[in-house]
Amino acid sequence: VHGDNPADAYQPSMTTLAEIQVQIPGRKEGDPVMTQDEFQRGTKIYFERCAGCHGVLRKGATGKPLTPDITREHGYDYLQSFITYGSPAGMPNWGTSGELSEADVDLMARYVLLEPPTPPEFGMPEMLDSWKVIVAPEDRPTKKMNDIDIENLMSVTLRDAGEIALIDGNTYDIREVIKTGYAVHISRISASGRYLFVIGRDARVNMIDLWMEHPSSVAEIKIGMEARSVETSKMEGWEDKYAIAGAYWPPQYVIMDGDTLEPKKIVSTRGNIYDEQTYHPEPRVAAILASHYRPEFIINVKETGKILMVDYTDLKNLKTTEIEAERFLHDGGLDSTHRYFITAANARGKLVVIDTKEGKLVAITETGGETPHPGRGANFVHPDYGPVWATSHLGDDSVALIGTDPEGHPEQAWKIADSFYALGGGSLFIKTHPNSDNLYVDATLNPDAETSASVAVFKISDMKESVEPEYTTLPIGEWAGIADGQPRVVQPEFNKEGTEVWFSVWNAKDKVSAIVVVDDKTLELKKVIKDPRLITPTGKFNVYNTQKDVY
Ligand code: DHE
């Protein structure tokens, strides 16, 4: 009999699992009719074109959430027109650009009205199944077997070819073209400078031995279905010991053996959002950097807004410092001392600063611009503000400088010291080098063809407090001399000495692309690299600068 037992007084009046309202799985009332084939095609288009910004489960990040509760409120006509024409806030004009046919736009407008399918998980059995040691460590050379100046080699992504090109930074010759995953996102170099790691969008990691007579893959693995980041351990005493890769789907990271890519430890990043403390099913792994101050990897978890500092000294008793930062963490880099990690919470318009020595949050600062997008950013010494780190923006034409010298310039430290205008919105990357007096800012995704094919250059020694700096515009696309298509210029990257800066002139895969090399002192064209093998070049990574985090 209720009431007789005193324990009943403590029973919370909560809904139990058995009482929750559920819907019958399968087709629901009001669902648009779609055949299995159409749904399959919609899923393919969604994963290829939309998931990067909106998320696999459509919870939103750089792009708006697209769960059916929201899409159904907007309705078919609105969605159809949005997909066709895009928006100034960053949604591409898939229809009018011709990238999607009218029929595909119609398909996608219906597709997003339905519940998103959940792709399968990818755990240890799947990873082991994909893992290949192509050349065992004992069969690899014991010294460098080629005549390449490895430190000045450039690893260049050939996006749509699913390859990278290794280009000699001294002679501009393509030394090797190596098969990789699809659309390699970044290249990273082991602490010793010997191994090159790349990760494709399809989450395939290739480990390339630069000592071989013909550098090629010595190990490979697939760590999920969708990924963007890879890195290797850089702490003294732990050089080349581990590699790590982060996945978008499933949301997880994996720590691997640094010699063979054998997967050792997979950690899911699913969990609660840092501030609301509500569960998120898809917190994707964005940028990963290796700490120089502790044996740790620094991992951006995008949707939950957490930065993880994962100690790799004892994988069995894994210690992680979990820092509450800001939602939508994306890319970032170290300051010139390598002590501080500065990263963009891009959809929040903020920069987050972490002290990698103390393992603590230092600051969260609004940039004043829309959607900061630094890549690894650019470190230089401003004549008035001292050491600063710079980001450009995807959503507007501004460049923001954050002070990075709390000892010498406490006034500016971790605050926006200055902000000025570059060429236009749609910038992806910004770059300088300790030996350069120039700051280069691209405008890759600017809707204007001429702007997207140009680069702004600021002279650092001319920068002054309260004076809007002037810039020189370099017509990189025009210099490439490509008549066909609408190539975009992306990602400045310096050679080892900091005397030349390289740009990708990124055209459609059936059109001519190029790499344009500019003399950093004179700002004159030095070389146009064209080759039928240079299909859709995007990111370029100089071995020495990437190995030593010089940027
Ligand atoms: Fe990137 C860096 C994710 C679109 C070229 N990009 C990064 C990083 C992340 C990321 C998380 C940081 C990795 C790190 O440091 O560990 N990129 C994403 C996306 O989610 C996004 C917005 C959408 C998508 O669908 O992928 C996206 N990126 C692009 C492109 O469209 C680019 C231009 C060409 C491509 O390959 O798709 C592109 N991203 C790059 C490059 C870097 C990068 C070249 C490294 C820059 C650097 O100098 O460090």
Side-chain angles (χ1 to χ4, degrees):
V1 180
H2 280 283
D4 289 342
N5 182 349
D8 284 350
Y10 296 101
Q11 296 217 339
S13 62
M14 256 175 61
T15 318
T16 68
L17 262 185
E19 288 163 344
I20 56 165
Q21 286 290 315
V22 292
Q23 283 183 314
I24 308 168
R27 195 158 170 262
K28 300 182 196 73
E29 207 185 314
D31 278 359
V33 180
M34 212 173 231
T35 64
Q36 176 63 36
D37 283 353
E38 282 181 315
F39 192 73
Q40 192 67 45
R41 178 162 174 77
T43 304
K44 182 173 185 314
I45 295 174
Y46 185 83
F47 286 158
E48 282 176 1
R49 314 265 188 171
C50 322
C53 289
H54 299 281
V56 164
L57 303 178
R58 302 200 216 129
K59 299 270 180 195
T62 308
K64 296 245 155 57
L66 293 174
T67 41
D69 51 323
I70 296 166
T71 51
R72 287 187 177 203
E73 202 159 291
H74 290 314
Y76 171 87
D77 291 339
Y78 175 91
L79 296 166
Q80 196 264 357
S81 134
F82 214 80
I83 300 169
T84 305
Y85 299 106
S87 83
M91 170 76 175
N93 51 333
W94 297 111
T96 49
S97 69
E99 295 203 52
L100 292 185
S101 66
E102 224 171 284
D104 279 343
V105 171
D106 161 66
L107 176 75
M108 293 316 289
R110 288 183 289 136
Y111 178 83
V112 294
L113 290 167
L114 290 169
E115 286 289 342
T118 305
E121 297 299 315
F122 202 95
M124 194 51 92
E126 291 79 14
M127 279 192 208
L128 286 175
D129 219 29
S130 74
W131 174 47
K132 273 187 261 177
V133 179
I134 300 157
V135 183
E138 58 275 20
D139 300 330
R140 293 178 201 158
T142 51
K143 58 181 192 345
K144 185 161 86 85
M145 302 300 285
N146 56 53
D147 62 352
I148 306 170
D149 174 6
I150 289 180
E151 292 192 336
N152 201 24
L153 199 60
M154 293 277 189
S155 171
V156 180
T157 295
L158 304 177
R159 190 185 186 284
D160 295 12
E163 295 169 342
I164 57 151
L166 298 180
I167 305 186
D168 191 317
N170 304 329
T171 62
Y172 313 113
D173 292 336
I174 299 179
R175 300 293 298 240
E176 302 292 338
V177 172
I178 297 170
K179 201 79 210 136
T180 59
Y182 173 68
V184 158
H185 221 87
I186 62 166
S187 296
R188 288 283 164 87
I189 313 289
S190 70
S192 70
R194 171 174 182 173
Y195 292 111
L196 168 69
F197 295 83
V198 298
I199 187 153
R201 257 168 204 264
D202 52 4
R204 175 167 145 187
V205 180
N206 283 76
M207 176 180 174
I208 294 155
D209 185 355
L210 299 177
W211 279 10
M212 290 163 83
E213 189 184 347
H214 289 283
S216 66
S217 289
V218 289
E220 104 181 19
I221 190 171
K222 200 165 145 58
I223 61 108
M225 264 156 276
E226 191 60 40
R228 302 287 183 277
S229 49
V230 66
E231 178 62 306
T232 87
S233 51
K234 287 193 175 165
M235 181 67 188
E236 218 185 306
W238 295 86
E239 294 94 341
D240 296 23
K241 181 100 176 99
Y242 290 118
I244 181 172
Y248 267 18
W249 189 271
Q252 63 192 15
Y253 64 84
V254 54
I255 299 179
M256 299 163 284
D257 183 275
D259 264 341
T260 62
L261 294 182
E262 180 186 1
K264 297 274 190 196
K265 179 104 184 171
I266 306 170
V267 182
S268 171
T269 48
R270 289 189 175 104
N272 286 6
I273 299 168
Y274 86 95
D275 53 351
E276 288 171 8
Q277 310 208 29
T278 53
Y279 180 74
H280 199 294
E282 192 190 352
R284 298 176 286 176
V285 177
I288 303 181
L289 267 100
S291 170
H292 293 252
Y293 280 83
R294 292 182 181 196
E296 288 178 344
F297 290 121
I298 308 158
I299 303 173
N300 273 352
V301 186
K302 190 190 281 282
E303 280 78 5
T304 49
K306 294 173 181 174
I307 299 177
L308 309 179
M309 302 184 68
V310 176
D311 183 328
Y312 48 69
T313 54
D314 182 358
L315 299 185
K316 289 266 177 246
N317 301 284
L318 195 72
K319 284 201 225 49
T320 301
T321 305
E322 183 184 288
I323 297 177
E324 291 182 7
E326 179 55 284
R327 293 178 73 177
F328 311 120
L329 298 166
H330 193 73
D331 47 357
L334 301 170
D335 77 310
S336 60
T337 69
H338 295 161
R339 173 168 171 179
Y340 298 96
F341 172 55
I342 309 157
T343 186
N346 66 8
R348 287 281 192 259
K350 291 179 185 164
L351 295 178
V352 177
V353 185
I354 297 297
D355 182 345
T356 68
K357 189 173 169 200
E358 299 294 333
K360 280 202 176 88
L361 176 75
V362 176
I364 301 179
T365 309
E366 285 195 19
T367 65
E370 199 179 319
T371 323
H373 196 282
R376 286 162 293 166
N379 286 294
F380 62 92
V381 181
H382 186 283
D384 293 323
Y385 306 126
V388 294
W389 179 93
T391 182
S392 55
H393 292 80
L394 192 52
D396 64 29
D397 49 357
S398 68
V399 172
L401 312 183
I402 184 168
T404 60
D405 182 23
E407 305 268 293
H409 297 80
E411 293 261 291
Q412 280 81 32
W414 319 127
K415 299 193 189 83
I416 299 303
D418 202 0
S419 175
F420 46 80
Y421 299 109
L423 273 182
S427 174
L428 290 181
F429 301 111
I430 185 164
K431 188 71 54 120
T432 186
H433 184 278
N435 295 340
S436 168
D437 188 31
N438 292 317
L439 177 69
Y440 296 84
V441 187
D442 68 17
T444 313
L445 299 184
N446 195 283
D448 175 61
E450 201 181 315
T451 308
S452 75
S454 303
V455 160
V457 193
F458 295 87
K459 202 165 158 56
I460 292 168
S461 54
D462 282 353
M463 291 182 182
K464 262 199 185 70
E465 193 176 340
S466 320
V467 179
E468 181 72 23
E470 288 183 7
Y471 59 81
T472 308
T473 303
L474 304 184
I476 303 289
E478 198 185 306
W479 285 350
I482 295 168
D484 196 15
Q486 209 200 84
R488 295 171 184 274
V489 170
V490 68
Q491 206 235 14
E493 176 77 358
F494 273 87
N495 64 344
K496 182 192 169 199
E497 298 302 331
T499 53
E500 285 175 359
V501 59
W502 294 37
F503 299 92
S504 300
V505 182
W506 171 24
N507 212 344
K509 70 168 173 237
D510 56 348
K511 305 229 153 52
V512 177
S513 288
I515 305 273
V516 166
V517 181
V518 172
D519 185 304
D520 178 66
K521 279 270 168 316
T522 62
L523 297 186
E524 278 165 12
L525 174 67
K526 195 156 178 187
K527 176 82 187 171
V528 177
I529 309 174
K530 273 191 197 156
D531 189 291
R533 292 170 292 176
L534 278 186
I535 298 163
T536 57
T538 50
K540 301 161 297 305
F541 300 83
N542 171 268
V543 165
Y544 183 84
N545 294 336
T546 307
Q547 175 197 356
K548 302 282 182 194
D549 289 298
V550 178
Y551 40 80

